Amino acid sequence: MIQVAILAGGLGTRMRPFTETVPKPMITVLGRPFLDHLIDLLKRNGARRFVLLVSYLGHVIQDYLGDGSKHGIEVLYSYEHEPLGTGGALKNAAGLLEGNFLVVHGDTLLDIDYQAMVADFEARQTEAMIAAYFHQAQAVPSNLAISPDGTVVEYVKQRPTGEYVDAGVVALRKSILDLIPSDRKCSLEQEVFPTLIASGQMKAWKTQINFYDMGTPSGLASLEAHLR
């Protein structure tokens, strides 16, 4: 498995008061930090090398995971001194990232076959491949339109489009960091994805497996019910 970058720097404002003392990925889910559940899932899929992109209360995560050896993994840390957005966080971590890597959100759980997704990503020789969730009863508006050959043709956060939803996982080549400006906030979804889509360099890995976002109280309750 390729390296995994976990976005874990958000303020978690929707989960206060829990996030007043711990960052969102460290909120307890069934007696363990959510980050444990996420890393366990990725380990089952062969992942061993991680980069944690941290900011708010990032030391709590580092104090818990350390270098990862106690968990059977290798963990590196990239700290943001101020919020840089999803794209800016990756640019800030450029020196730690390998040639190909997965990006996952530190508050989302998607139980797919990550090895199969990565194999498809590498076989199609694309710059990016996003996990695209399809379900008739989508809990959130669709934001991905996909062509018959699996190429993403539109990504819109502000209004519904297409039939698929960004499921919070994307495989990237390091070359996409050239599209991200240095030393300023940048949204991967709103500033980088459109460029990749315009050049036909974003493919979709379609799935009907539901994903769980524990970034809200209702989402946390749904995740706990799923994991029981």
Side-chain angles (χ1 to χ4, degrees), residues 7-27 35 52-62 77-85 89:
L7 295 164
L11 297 175
T13 53
R14 294 178 298 172
M15 290 300 288
R16 290 177 179 164
F18 299 108
T19 51
E20 290 177 357
T21 55
V22 297
K24 190 162 46 175
M26 292 296 291
I27 290 175
L35 193 56
L52 272 293
L53 312 181
V54 297
S55 180
Y56 174 71
L57 296 177
H59 67 278
V60 176
I61 294 175
Q62 187 164 5
Y77 298 89
S78 174
Y79 276 84
E80 304 165 50
H81 298 297
E82 59 183 24
L84 294 173

Side-chain angles (χ1 to χ4, degrees), residues 94-117:
L96 303 178
L97 295 171
E98 299 174 2
N100 294 341
F101 54 90
L102 275 176
V103 179
V104 303
H105 290 262
D107 59 0
T108 304
L109 192 78
L110 176 66
D111 193 356
I112 58 171
D113 185 339
Y114 285 88
Q115 290 182 327
M117 179 181 173

Side-chain angles (χ1 to χ4, degrees), residues 11 37 75 85 133 207:
L11 297 175
H37 296 282
V75 181
Y133 170 65
T207 180

Side-chain angles (χ1 to χ4, degrees), residues 143-145 151-156 189 192-203:
N143 56 15
L144 288 172
T151 300
V152 178
V153 295
E154 190 174 29
Y155 185 113
V156 182
E189 298 82 2
V192 179
F193 286 0
T195 301
L196 294 171
I197 291 168
S199 61
Q201 285 298 311
M202 175 171 275
K203 307 299 182 183

Side-chain angles (χ1 to χ4, degrees), residues 154-186:
E154 190 174 29
Y155 185 113
V156 182
K157 292 184 75 71
Q158 291 83 5
R159 60 178 173 79
T161 185
E163 297 178 320
Y164 291 85
V165 175
D166 170 8
V169 175
V170 61
L172 297 172
R173 297 194 185 279
K174 191 173 182 178
S175 54
I176 71 99
L177 298 184
D178 294 337
L179 303 175
I180 303 173
S182 299
D183 302 321
R184 77 161 175 85
K185 191 172 183 178
C186 173

Side-chain angles (χ1 to χ4, degrees), residues 29-30 109 212 217-228:
V29 178
L30 301 183
L109 192 78
Y212 297 87
S218 61
L220 178 59
S222 295
L223 173 64
E224 289 183 327
H226 168 70
L227 291 174
R228 287 188 190 278

